[in-house]
Amino acid sequence: MSGASDRLTDALYGLGWAAVKKLPEPVAVGLGRRIADTAWKRRGKGVLRLESNLARVVPDASPERLAELSRAGMRSYMRYWMESFRLPAWSARRVADSVEVREVHRLTDGLASGRGVVLALPHLANWDLAGVWVTRSLGVPFTTVAERLKPESLYDRFVAYRESLGMEVLPHTGGSAFGTLARRLRAGGLVCLVADRDLSASSGVEVKFFGEAARMPAGPAMLAQQTGALLLPATLWYDDTPVLKARVHPPVEVPETGTRAEKTAAMTQALADAFATGIAEHPEDWHMLQRLWLADLDQDRDRGQDQDQVTS
């Protein structure tokens, strides 16, 4: 990004945080839908990438069905942003009433055991709202990791925003995040990681995802192995109500045999399978507007194109 583009991007996000949360809720909802529909009609790079990704999730979908899914996907994506901009002004009661978690006992029992929990989830629905529900309704603080965005001022905004919601945020780059996460887990704490897209240059694990090769981060599985923490996949979705739905899936166990790399690969594949289950059930809520599958990444490298950024 140029300096002027950086400043514009930061200013637009700042305007969103400052202005959207002050709008009456019906106005904010309507604004989000209009923005989503406008972006969808323009058929920009993000919309086309979303549609391409959804074609793998729903391989028998007609072009018309894919268009419907991508339009619903953009509306879901903008619902995420409109809710997130307004979250700092939500009361504890509003947060409690806005999230319904199935099998939450898997999370609460794991934390009560004192062994620490890694909660891993994909880019489904509103992971920030789910996080606020954990901090405010369960009263459990947690640590997470965020990609270093450009401009740096935008990254600082995201960190300040998430910390205001009760999260400890570590930068993805810099090398110290893994050690800090491990210490939190050994102390019996909670770590939440969005884990359906590898952001590293070389440490990701290759998995089969909807029948094709993709790469996902090794961190959740490695943390569970090294600290003894419970590794729990979670998926989220919207329905026709204002309430965000969530499910905590059965734990991913550490295999009894194999090398560390083999165990990590098996556990990461189990996470990918759990993510695929939730995404297949609610494809319109998967906010993956970036390249994910290796075939797409290889094609873009052959063309000399840069990879998309993600704000997670």
Side-chain angles (χ1 to χ4, degrees), residues 7-255:
R7 289 191 294 273
L8 177 61
T9 299
D10 182 56
L12 288 173
Y13 277 99
L15 178 63
W17 266 299
V20 171
K21 65 183 178 182
K22 297 178 182 178
L23 294 174
E25 185 151 349
V27 175
V29 170
L31 175 62
R33 180 160 291 202
R34 287 194 295 274
I35 293 172
D37 288 349
T38 299
W40 179 79
K41 289 175 182 177
R42 288 178 176 172
R43 309 289 291 164
K45 182 172 64 174
V47 173
L48 294 176
R49 177 56 57 190
L50 174 63
E51 215 160 274
S52 175
N53 290 339
L54 289 171
R56 287 180 166 98
V57 175
V58 191
D60 58 348
S62 66
E64 294 77 15
R65 174 60 177 153
L66 281 177
E68 290 174 0
L69 282 173
S70 66
R71 183 176 188 176
M74 292 304 296
R75 288 181 172 185
S76 175
Y77 187 48
M78 285 312 303
R79 176 174 171 177
Y80 160 79
W81 280 112
M82 290 295 147
E83 287 178 345
S84 295
F85 285 145
R86 296 167 65 83
L87 268 178
W90 282 17
S91 67
R93 172 49 56 189
R94 173 70 188 275
V95 170
D97 291 342
S98 296
V99 181
E100 178 185 304
V101 183
R102 301 174 185 176
E103 287 82 44
V104 70
H105 66 88
R106 291 177 174 140
L107 172 59
T108 54
D109 290 352
L111 291 169
S113 73
R115 62 183 290 194
V117 174
V118 180
L119 196 64
L121 61 160
H123 287 83
L124 275 170
N126 194 334
W127 49 95
D128 280 336
L129 174 54
V132 176
W133 183 85
V134 169
T135 60
R136 294 188 183 175
S137 297
L138 293 186
V140 177
F142 66 85
T143 304
T144 189
V145 174
E147 180 187 9
R148 275 201 177 277
L149 303 172
K150 293 181 180 180
E152 190 73 16
S153 57
L154 178 57
Y155 171 77
D156 292 340
R157 282 188 187 274
F158 270 94
V159 171
Y161 157 69
R162 287 181 169 140
E163 288 182 341
S164 75
L165 301 175
M167 312 173 193
E168 179 187 22
V169 183
L170 307 176
H172 179 266
T173 56
S176 63
F178 189 91
T180 301
L181 296 174
R183 287 193 294 274
R184 301 292 183 267
L185 292 168
R186 290 191 180 102
L190 174 63
V191 165
C192 297
L193 300 172
V194 180
D196 57 343
R197 182 171 180 263
D198 181 51
L199 298 176
S200 71
S202 59
S203 63
V205 176
E206 187 171 322
V207 297
K208 279 290 184 183
F209 195 55
F210 291 101
E212 293 191 43
R215 189 174 290 115
M216 293 188 180
M222 293 177 63
L223 285 165
Q225 288 181 66
Q226 293 192 22
T227 68
L230 189 68
L231 176 55
L232 293 173
T235 53
L236 313 170
W237 66 95
Y238 293 125
D239 57 18
D240 294 331
T241 74
V243 178
L244 174 71
K245 302 300 192 299
R247 179 191 173 199
V248 181
H249 294 252
V252 174
E253 303 291 349
V254 178

Side-chain angles (χ1 to χ4, degrees), residues 195 207-210 216 267-277 279:
V207 297
K208 279 290 184 183
F209 195 55
F210 291 101
M216 293 188 180
M267 295 171 72
T268 305
Q269 183 63 61
L271 280 181
D273 293 343
F275 294 166
T277 297
I279 292 167

